[in-house]
Amino acid sequence: MDPRLPRLPRLQRKLAQVPFSPLRSHSFGEEKHRFRLGPTISPAMLDAFETDHGVVLPDPYRDFLTFLGATGASPFYGLLP
């Protein structure tokens, strides 16, 4: 097993706690996205993206995209799909 992968469930748990944190600030649009990440993408799709764009994504970012979610949780004034 890849040594980076055990970190992903911990990160997933932390992200799930964000909406319930008593000291967090509130952001525009959170009632819509509810701090949920978008669907994951396949390693084959990442390989195709890297080939098409002539880049190599860092392994931790690839892990995030393939195991947690490929889009952020902020459709307004933030990361868009």
Side-chain angles (χ1 to χ4, degrees):
M1 181 174 188
D2 191 316
R4 294 183 310 266
L5 297 185
R7 290 180 159 182
L8 295 175
R10 181 173 176 251
L11 180 56
Q12 190 172 33
R13 285 190 306 274
K14 285 184 164 193
L15 289 172
Q17 293 171 356
V18 169
F20 306 105
S21 175
L23 301 177
R24 74 172 179 81
S25 62
H26 294 272
S27 60
F28 178 70
E30 69 184 44
E31 67 281 349
K32 183 172 181 173
H33 61 70
R34 298 182 184 164
F35 296 94
R36 290 180 298 207
L37 297 174
T40 60
I41 58 176
S42 70
M45 288 178 70
L46 282 176
D47 292 341
F49 175 87
E50 289 177 329
T51 300
D52 291 348
H53 297 295
V55 298
V56 176
L57 299 174
D59 286 336
Y61 186 51
R62 288 180 63 93
D63 294 341
F64 187 95
L65 296 174
T66 58
F67 292 102
L68 292 182
T71 58
S74 56
F76 304 104
Y77 301 110
L79 300 173
L80 297 172

